Structures are given as structure tokens and as C-alpha cells.
């Protein structure tokens, strides 16, 4: 196979992201025996802590230490990476809002190929890597062939690669800071603004009645509220419901919303995009109601019901009220 | 501000069941209803609002076949001033990088302060904006959910990051931004609005007009097939009448602690 393989590791408060081990697993799916080099950027003691931890799993950890990298500004990191990575490098990133920010531009500057949101790799044939992706929010899957001859930037969907448990790498940290070059850019980080707190905390509820775009109309939100009340549950939702301002942001489940850990999760008219599912942790009992029998949510739910939620929700609520 | 918004014509996932065709070479295209990529409507709305506030113009551009013209007209009915269609047999099969290279040529034909794309399209890549920015060497921010124009040379943007938090950045102009849903509420476009722009001339540029070689749009990434994945157990689907399903569900909910 072509180039050397790198995994760019995201970290926060001195701790490497869970995806650090997933990227290692992803690399092994490209080429089982390939040594993978971790690349970590940041500043000071926090960075050193992350690098040291990573040496347990990665044979080599390249660090770029610079005060300008204290906050992960993708524009600055891209410049640094372009200066330190060899030609033909295969770079793995996690497909999250940071990976979306960094990956596409990095591939252009490295003059390499780019594949976004890989959910699996099925090996290399000649110079072509076979990648599994999804389109239309998971309604269909595709195989994509990626030409590796000039290197590639590949972003991997979080949670898709079973993390490997390697703690015997006894790797070494290599300081690449001097090679990072000029890091001035035209985008300056100012601050992080924390999400607003809502009037309910959906993360504290054991039972969530969650509605998606299938609820169709603002007026129908009432149906869900009524059902939730009958069950002693709380109403949460998918992103389009918040975008439409039918419910407040604090009710949104997903990667760009809340991470919830209920015992029971009712997904009503939700298709099951990975950004939505990414906010559901702790393996709850998931019930999906959707009028489309092929909706991807049925692949992850424990129980599925193919019905029109606008008919189903009120009938269910009536029955529950009646049984009390 | 001179603003260019890149828009894509996509199958409308809310109106269609997307399925793999018989030989797995494509999705089933018969009877598909197409529309503007959801994210692109937010981008166009944001551009219109900025123009209405600080002046300037909004141009919408798409790479596609002649059918793609309808999405330009729709966005012009929303309020965009101009449309540009980039169309050529040589563009078929272009990967994200190829689309970005074609759009780059269009960016360089104009004099724009801001270029918007959607954060994501139907193929779930979220790549064209970042590639375009790197190709023209302008700064970039992705998943943008707020924009404040500071002056002629810089703007303040909010980016969405994990957990519902936002990251605020200052960016020099010109720049490229990928726009996230929820940044605004896109206005409604009625049939009358579309009729009004039905006869507006929309220029079409091909590879030669844009000075693009086959090499510039050549794909390094290509789809080999579509398939339906074979998955694990999946959900236990409850069968029977509505009533029977509800009874069964209530039983299950009771057992799992879902009813209080
Ligand atoms: C950076 C980024 C972050 C994101 N973060 C999040 C996030 O945190 N949370 C989130 O949810 N999304 C998030 N998204 C959006 C995500 O990609 C999807 O677009 C979204 O989750 C889809 O929501 P949905 O399932 O409600 O809508 P759709 O995908 O439109 O699905 C609606 C479903 O309802 C069904 N349906 C329609 N009518 C009925 C009916 N009458 N009865 C029964 N079923 C019906 C349909 O069959 C369909 O399956 C993010 C996207 C990006 C790019
Ligand atoms: N064929 C196209 N023509 C114009 N813009 C496009 C095209 N494909 C993608 N884009 C832009 O890039 C954004 C992200 O698409 P993608 O990178 O394909 O997920 C879209 O929202 C559009 O703004």
C-alpha cells in the first residue's frame, strides 16, 4: 500500500477523545499490520499528558506544541499538518464538526483524495481503497473507491469502528513543533458560548418521548406532550423540530444537542440519522414508530411499529390513560 | 456585500422513499421528486438577509444538468438576484474535489466577498465548501449558525460544535462558509414567486467557458455501487391491528419501566 498512515487525535481537558482508539481500528481495516502514527496538536502540559497516554496504543506520537494551538482552530492546524506530513500520507480524522472543518481543505492542500464519513473499510485493491459510506441519512449504503496513489484524507464516523484495546505499543513521542512553520491565519478563535439551559433537563429523564420531522406540524407537538404526560415521561426531539422552533434547543437529542441516557426511548417519526443516534447512550430500550418500514431507525431499535404517528400517538395515549 | 451561494438539486428525502435500483448502480430514479438541498435554503436566506441589511447582491450557482436550472429559479424566487448554471458533459461523475474545482472557476469569474455552501448535502459528505475555500485560498468556517458583519473586511461567525455549544470566530473577507440548518427560518416560496422569475435569463457556462481541463475535474473518488447493508437482528416489528400493536407495546413498556 502507498503512504504512511496518520491519525489526528482530538482531545479536551487533557484527555484524548474516544475516537483515538476507533481510528486505530479503522487503520487496521485499511491494512492490518500497518503502523499508525498519532498526530496531536495543542499547548503545554495538557498536550504532553495526552501524548503520553497515546504512546500506550500508538507506536509513534507526533506532537505539535504551540500556544497558537491551545484551542483547536482547524485553519491553523491545517497549516501545521501540511508542513509536517510527508507526501502520500493517509490521514484519518473523526467525522465530527472538527473533522468537517479540517478534512476537506486539508485534502486539497495535501493534494490528496478525500472521503467523508466512512463507516467501514474493506481493504485495498492495487492503489484503491474500498470504503463503505451511507447516503440519504442512512437510507442506502454505497461502496466508494478511493485512489490512494497521492495519499488521502479519510474521516471516520464516530462509533462505527470497534475500538481496539492495544496498550502494549510502548510508543515514543516525537516533537514536530519546530517544523510546523508559520501559523498565522485569517480566522481567529474568540470564545466558546455554552448551550442555553432549557426549562427541562431531558438528560435527567428515564423515559423520553422523542418526536422527529414525522410529526409534520407544530400543532401536533401537543399529541406528544399528551402522551408523555400519560406515561410520566418527558418530550425530546430531533434537530429539524428545533430548527423549526417548535421546541426549544434544550430538548434536542444528538451530537449537536443533548446526550441522553434514558431507560426507555420512544422515537416517533425519526429516521435515525447517526447525528441523532449519537446522542443516545446507555443502551436504552428503543421503540421506533415510523410509517416507512425501511427507515434506518428500525435497524437500531429494539421494537418497531410501522404506523402513522399522527394516528398512533393519540390512540396510545388514550389506551394508557384508560388503563390507569 | 457580493455573495455567491452554491446550491445543489437533490432528491427530496421527505417526498420519496430512497431505494437502491435493480442492479445497484444507482438509487431508483423513476418518479423521484427533486428539490433544493435543505441546507442550501438556509444559506440563500442568510445571504438575502445580509444583502437587505448592508446592500450588494446575491448570486446562486449550481453544477448540474439542464434540470438543475429549476433550483436556481426557486432560489431567485426567494430573492437571489442572479443565477448561474455550470453544465457540461465533462462534469458528469465529478467527485467533491471536481465540483469544488468547477465552483472555483465560477468564483474567480466574479468578485465576491462571501461564498456560502450548505453544511451537508444528500450524499452526506459536507466537503465541497472546505475544498472550495482551500482551492481559492480563502479562510473557511464550517457548520456556521450565526453571522455578524463587522465591517468591509471582517465578520464574526458562530460555528456549531458538539453538545449544542457554539464557537465564535472572527474571519477576514473574502471567505467561504458552510451554513447549518436553524441559522434562520427560510422564507416560503409560492408558485407566484416562481412564475415571476420564470423568464429571467440564466447564463450557462461549460468547461471551456470556465477554462477547465478534464484533469481539473477528474475524480479520485468514485462510487462503485449502492447496496442495502445486511445488518444484525434489527427491531422486532410488532404486527397486527393498531389495537394489538398498542396492547403489546404497553405490555413491553410496563416491563421496561416505561410507564409510571
Ligand atoms: C453537523 C450536524 C449536526 C447534527 N446534529 C443533529 C442532532 O444533534 N440531532 C439530530 O436529530 N439531528 C442532527 N443533525 C441532522 C441529521 O443529519 C438529520 O437531518 C436529522 O436527525 C433528521 O431528523 P428526523 O429524523 O426528525 O427527520 P427525517 O430524517 O426527515 O425523518 C423523518 C422520519 O419520519 C417518518 N415519517 C414522516 N411522516 C410520518 C408519519 N406521519 N408517521 C410516522 N412516521 C413518519 C419518515 O418516514 C422519516 O423516517 C445534524 C446534522 C449535521 C450536519
Ligand atoms: N453540484 C453542486 N453544485 C453546487 N453546489 C454544490 C454541488 N454539490 C455540493 N454543493 C455545495 O456543497 C454543499 C455541501 O455538499 P456536499 O459536500 O456534497 O455534502 C452543498 O450544500 C452545496 O452548497
Amino acid at each position: 500500500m502507498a503512504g504512511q498512515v496518520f491519525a489526528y487525535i482530538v482531545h479536551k481537558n487533557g484527555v484524548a477523545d474516544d475516537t483515538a482508539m476507533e481510528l486505530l481500528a479503522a487503520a487496521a481495516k485499511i491494512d492490518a499490520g500497518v503502523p499508525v502514527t498519532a498526530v496531536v496538536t495543542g499547548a503545554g502540559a495538557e498536550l504532553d499528558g495526552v501524548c503520553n497516554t497515546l504512546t500506550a496504543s500508538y507506536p509513534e506520537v507526533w506532537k505539535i506544541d504551540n500556544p497558537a494551538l491551545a484551542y483547536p482552530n482547524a485553519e491553523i492546524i491545517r497549516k501545521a499538518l501540511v508542513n509536517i506530513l510527508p507526501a502520500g500520507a493517509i490521514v484519518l480524522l473523526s467525522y465530527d464538526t472538527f473533522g468537517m472543518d479540517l478534512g476537506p481543505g486539508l485534502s486539497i492542500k495535501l493534494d490528496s483524495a478525500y472521503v467523508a464519513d466512512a463507516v467501514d473499510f474493506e481493504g485495498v485493491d492495487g492503489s484503491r481503497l474500498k470504503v463503505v459510506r451511507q447516503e440519504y441519512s442512512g437510507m442506502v449504503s454505497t461502496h466508494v473507491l478511493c485512489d490512494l496513489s497521492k495519499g488521502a484524507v479519510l474521516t471516520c464516523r464516530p462509533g462505527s469502528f470497534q475500538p481496539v484495546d492495544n496498550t502494549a505499543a510502548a510508543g515514543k513521542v516525537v516533537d514536530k513543533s519546530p517544523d510546523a512553520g508559520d501559523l498565522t491565519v485569517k480566522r481567529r478563535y474568540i470564545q466558546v458560548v455554552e448551550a442555553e439551559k432549557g426549562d427541562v433537563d431531558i438528560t435527567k429523564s428515564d423515559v423520553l418521548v422523542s418526536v422527529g420531522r414525522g410529526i409534520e406540524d407544530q400543532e401536533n407537538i401537543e399529541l406528544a406532550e399528551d402522551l408523555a404526560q400519560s406515561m410520566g415521561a418527558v418530550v425530546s426531539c430531533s434537530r429539524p423540530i428545533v430548527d423549526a422552533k417548535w421546541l426549544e434547543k434544550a430538548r434536542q437529542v444528538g451530537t449537536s444537542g443533548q446526550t441522553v441516557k434514558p431507560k426507555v426511548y420512544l422515537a416517533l417519526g425519526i429516521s435515525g440519522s447517526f447525528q441523532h443516534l449519537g446522542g443516545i447512550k446507555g443502551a436504552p430500550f428503543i421503540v421506533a414508530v415510523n410509517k416507512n418500514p425501511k427507515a434506518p431507525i428500525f435497524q437500531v431499535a429494539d421494537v418497531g411499529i410501522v404506523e402513522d404517528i399522527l394516528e398512533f400517538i393519540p390512540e396510545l395515549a388514550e389506551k394508557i390513560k384508560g388503563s390507569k | 456585500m457580493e455573495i455567491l451561494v452554491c446550491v445543489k438539486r437533490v432528491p427530496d428525502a421527505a417526498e420519496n422513499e430512497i431505494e437502491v435500483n435493480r442492479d445497484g448502480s444507482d438509487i431508483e430514479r423513476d418518479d423521484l421528486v427533486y428539490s433544493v438541498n435543505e441546507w442550501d435554503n438556509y444559506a440563500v436566506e442568510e445571504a438575502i438577509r445580509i444583502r437587505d441589511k448592508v446592500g450588494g447582491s446575491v448570486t446562486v450557482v449550481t453544477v448540474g444538468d439542464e434540470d438543475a436550472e429549476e433550483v436556481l429559479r426557486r432560489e431567485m424566487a426567494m430573492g437571489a438576484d442572479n443565477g448561474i448554471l455550470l453544465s457540461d458533459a465533462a462534469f458528469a461523475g465529478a467527485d467533491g474535489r471536481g465540483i469544488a474545482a468547477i465552483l472555483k472557476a465560477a468564483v474567480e469569474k466574479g468578485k465576491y466577498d462571501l461564498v456560502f455552501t450548505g453544511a451537508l448535502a444528500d450524499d452526506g459528505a459536507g466537503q465541497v465548501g472546505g475544498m472550495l475555500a482551500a482551492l481559492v485560498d480563502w479562510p473557511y468556517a464550517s457548520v456556521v449558525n450565526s453571522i455578524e458583519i463587522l465591517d468591509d473586511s471582517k465578520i464574526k461567525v458562530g460555528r456549531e460544535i458538539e453538545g449544542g455549544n457554539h464557537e465564535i470566530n472572527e474571519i477576514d473577507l473574502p471567505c467561504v462558509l458552510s451554513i447549518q440548518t436553524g441559522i434562520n427560518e427560510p422564507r416560503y416560496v409560492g408558485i407566484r414567486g416562481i412564475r415571476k422569475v420564470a423568464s429571467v435569463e440564466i447564463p450557462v457556462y461549460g468547461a471551456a467557458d470556465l477554462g477547465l481541463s478534464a484533469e481539473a475535474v477528474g475524480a479520485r473518488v468514485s462510487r462503485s455501487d449502492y447496496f442495502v447493508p445486511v445488518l444484525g437482528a434489527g427491531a422486532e416489528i410488532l404486527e397486527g391491528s393498531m389495537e394489538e400493536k398498542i396492547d403489546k407495546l404497553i405490555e413491553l413498556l410496563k416491563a421496561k419501566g416505561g410507564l409510571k
Side-chain angles (χ1 to χ4, degrees):
Chain A
M1 198 191 58
Q4 205 177 332
V5 180
F6 297 87
Y8 180 85
I9 309 298
V10 173
H11 57 95
K12 207 175 168 185
N13 304 324
V15 182
D17 195 67
D18 288 347
T19 51
M21 295 304 122
E22 296 176 15
L23 295 182
L24 205 50
K29 285 222 156 179
I30 298 174
D31 182 349
V34 72
V36 189
T37 302
V39 183
V40 200
T41 65
E46 238 179 46
L47 173 65
D48 286 331
V50 176
C51 290
N52 286 334
T53 321
L54 287 170
T55 54
S57 323
Y58 284 86
E60 214 166 290
V61 179
W62 288 10
K63 77 162 183 182
I64 308 178
D65 188 345
N66 192 305
L69 295 166
Y71 183 85
N73 177 336
E75 296 278 292
I76 305 181
I77 292 168
R78 187 182 83 200
K79 271 192 131 177
L81 293 182
V82 169
N83 284 327
I84 67 160
L85 292 172
I90 293 170
V91 187
L92 301 177
L93 304 170
S94 166
Y95 186 65
D96 48 26
T97 51
F98 175 77
M100 290 179 94
D101 216 28
L102 174 65
L106 179 65
S107 78
I108 294 294
K109 293 299 182 189
L110 291 174
D111 192 23
S112 65
Y114 181 71
V115 180
D117 192 20
V119 299
D120 202 0
F121 296 119
E122 292 184 354
V124 182
D125 180 8
S127 69
R128 294 202 298 181
L129 172 67
K130 198 170 186 184
V131 188
V132 180
R133 299 189 68 249
Q134 294 183 340
E135 298 190 6
Y136 303 98
S137 304
M139 297 282 288
V140 295
S141 293
T142 63
H143 286 114
V144 161
L145 298 175
C146 173
D147 182 358
L148 297 181
S149 52
K150 288 183 156 180
V153 175
L154 308 166
T155 56
C156 303
R157 177 178 296 186
S160 283
F161 295 87
Q162 202 57 41
V164 290
D165 210 5
N166 176 16
T167 49
K172 59 169 195 269
V173 177
V174 181
D175 188 2
K176 291 281 178 180
S177 315
D179 304 332
D182 171 26
L183 297 181
T184 46
V185 293
K186 292 180 172 167
R187 169 176 145 196
R188 295 163 295 278
Y189 164 73
I190 301 175
Q191 62 175 356
V192 166
V193 180
E194 303 269 328
E196 276 172 40
K197 295 263 178 299
D199 56 10
V200 282
D201 186 353
I202 60 169
T203 66
K204 297 245 157 67
S205 179
D206 277 346
V207 188
L208 289 173
V209 170
S210 207
V211 290
R213 186 143 39 198
I215 200 77
E216 286 174 17
D217 205 318
Q218 180 161 23
E219 284 166 19
N220 298 331
I221 299 286
E222 254 174 47
L223 302 177
E225 279 163 354
D226 189 44
L227 172 62
Q229 197 169 24
S230 76
M231 294 171 62
V234 164
V235 173
S236 59
C237 64
S238 68
R239 179 172 182 124
I241 304 302
V242 173
D243 286 343
K245 307 218 156 49
W246 296 350
L247 285 171
E248 55 177 0
K249 180 84 182 168
R251 302 246 184 190
Q252 181 189 319
V253 174
T255 54
S256 61
Q258 302 295 316
T259 300
V260 297
K261 292 190 202 72
K263 289 201 181 83
V264 175
Y265 190 83
L266 242 64
L268 307 171
I270 291 176
S271 65
S273 71
F274 86 90
Q275 290 101 342
H276 185 75
L277 300 175
I280 307 172
K281 301 284 182 208
F285 181 70
I286 300 179
V287 178
V289 187
N290 198 301
K291 69 176 179 191
N292 178 3
K294 291 186 181 141
I297 187 82
F298 288 129
Q299 294 160 11
V300 294
D302 296 280
V303 166
I305 294 171
V306 182
E307 283 288 351
D308 184 331
I309 56 170
L310 299 180
E311 291 166 26
F312 188 83
I313 298 176
E315 287 215 24
L316 176 62
E318 275 314 300
K319 199 75 188 252
I320 291 173
K321 286 180 206 163
S323 73
K324 278 190 176 166
Chain B
M1 293 275 150
E2 298 300 312
I3 312 176
L4 181 70
V5 188
C6 307
V7 301
K8 185 180 182 189
R9 179 175 181 264
V10 301
D12 187 338
E15 298 285 332
N16 306 286
E17 277 185 25
I18 308 290
E19 290 182 57
V20 178
N21 72 1
R22 284 251 304 282
D23 63 359
S25 60
D26 196 359
I27 57 169
E28 189 53 65
R29 299 262 169 195
D30 289 351
D31 308 320
L32 271 190
V33 179
Y34 287 82
S35 59
V36 183
N37 175 37
E38 186 184 353
W39 278 264
D40 302 347
N41 277 329
Y42 289 88
V44 172
E45 177 67 37
E46 196 62 20
I48 292 169
R49 290 185 189 195
I50 293 171
R51 176 203 64 196
D52 290 349
K53 219 165 165 186
V54 304
S57 75
V58 176
T59 302
V60 286
V61 62
T62 192
V63 181
D65 55 20
E66 64 264 31
D67 291 336
E69 201 191 274
E70 73 186 26
V71 300
L72 295 175
R73 285 199 199 280
R74 191 199 174 279
E75 302 310 85
M76 290 169 76
M78 257 177 101
D81 304 278
N82 317 295
I84 303 172
L85 176 60
L86 307 176
S87 195
D88 196 305
F91 299 166
D95 59 4
R97 178 195 206 87
I99 299 288
I102 298 162
L103 290 169
K104 174 195 183 209
V107 169
E108 287 172 347
K109 254 183 163 335
K111 205 172 173 337
Y112 301 103
D113 303 292
L114 278 169
V115 174
F116 292 168
T117 69
L120 201 70
D122 54 338
D123 49 9
Q127 61 191 3
V128 169
M131 290 177 165
L132 174 60
L135 284 172
V136 294
D137 224 359
W138 292 358
Y140 174 63
S142 67
V143 207
V144 167
N145 64 3
S146 71
I147 301 176
E148 188 192 332
I149 306 293
L150 297 175
D151 56 41
D152 287 346
S153 67
K154 56 186 187 299
I155 61 174
K156 205 186 225 182
V157 303
R159 286 189 64 234
E160 197 172 271
I161 52 173
E162 273 60 33
N165 303 331
H166 314 274
E167 169 197 297
I168 311 294
N169 291 268
E170 196 180 271
I171 303 196
D172 296 342
L173 298 176
C175 70
V176 180
L177 305 177
S178 88
I179 305 296
Q180 173 67 314
T181 58
I183 186 174
N184 53 42
E185 286 170 85
R187 67 197 66 188
Y188 175 76
V189 181
I191 272 293
R192 278 184 51 207
I194 305 226
R195 267 199 216 117
K196 264 199 191 147
V197 295
S199 56
V200 178
E201 193 77 31
I202 292 183
V204 185
Y205 301 123
D209 307 308
L210 298 170
L212 283 167
S213 64
E215 146 68 352
V217 298
R220 299 188 197 178
V221 175
S222 61
R223 208 185 273 114
S224 62
D225 66 335
Y226 282 89
F227 66 100
V228 181
V230 197
L231 287 155
E236 175 200 346
I237 302 291
L238 302 186
E239 309 282 353
S241 67
M242 172 92 91
E243 223 167 324
E244 288 164 338
K245 290 178 193 171
I246 286 177
D247 288 342
K248 181 85 190 72
L249 178 60
I250 289 178
E251 213 176 281
L252 284 165
L253 287 175
K254 277 186 181 149
K256 299 287 175 185
L259 287 182
K260 283 179 198 152

